[in-house]
Amino acid sequence: MKLVEGRTNIEDIDEFLARLGAIGDEFDCAIQAFDARYVAGCDHLESAVEHANRAFERGDSIARDPAVEILLYAAGRRQINQALEMGVSEGEQRLVVAIDGKQNGNETAAASALSEILVPAETLGNPDRETMFDFFDLSERELEATSATLSDLVCERVALLEVEK
């Protein structure tokens, strides 16, 4: 798996998603873009990709498309329409794009192709705390009751999706 961080101004969401899909098809990779405000860090998306791949290997995935399965796990949701909140939308935004080439080595080439639609920028490491707490149903009390980090708690939500299937 490879992560690409950047900024972009999405004028047409369907066109943007079609471009991601075309890059994924060209390099035989699952590509999923996320609004960086919803991403707790690299561990969050690595966990989502691992769980999504495991679901496909076991034949118990929720989605037919690996990129959508990654989104579902990253969001900790079974419902695609609810998970889409952490995806991209029209307008100027900071993104994190997860590329999973299923060990075929094409992630680097796919990441290079993304340079046509993303301006490189650091987007990880500073999630919007209020957005994260609201979206993942976290609380200050929960965070204070453990030595876990915000990223740890979000990764727990990712793993719980497997239990809730």
Side-chain angles (χ1 to χ4, degrees), residues 42-61:
C42 293
D43 291 347
H44 177 190
L45 295 182
E46 287 173 0
S47 179
V49 169
E50 288 173 17
H51 281 88
N53 285 339
R54 194 174 315 136
F56 270 95
E57 289 167 8
R58 292 179 181 163
D60 67 354
S61 61

Side-chain angles (χ1 to χ4, degrees), residues 16-35:
F16 182 82
L17 295 176
R19 182 67 182 124
L20 289 182
I23 292 170
D25 291 344
E26 180 179 351
F27 296 102
D28 191 27
C29 296
I31 299 180
Q32 183 61 58
F34 300 92
D35 180 330

Side-chain angles (χ1 to χ4, degrees), residues 98-156:
I99 305 169
D100 182 38
K102 300 165 204 67
Q103 310 301 330
N104 67 13
N106 289 344
E107 289 111 341
T108 301
S112 293
L114 288 174
S115 67
E116 298 174 20
I117 56 177
L118 291 179
V119 175
E122 287 187 34
T123 62
L124 287 172
N126 192 20
D128 184 292
R129 192 173 177 89
E130 186 176 325
T131 299
M132 298 293 289
F133 273 52
D134 183 52
F135 186 75
F136 290 101
D137 195 29
L138 300 168
S139 69
E140 284 292 342
R141 186 173 179 183
E142 181 179 4
L143 194 57
E144 290 168 1
T146 179
S147 61
T149 64
L150 179 60
S151 180
D152 293 336
L153 292 177
V154 170
C155 287
E156 182 179 279

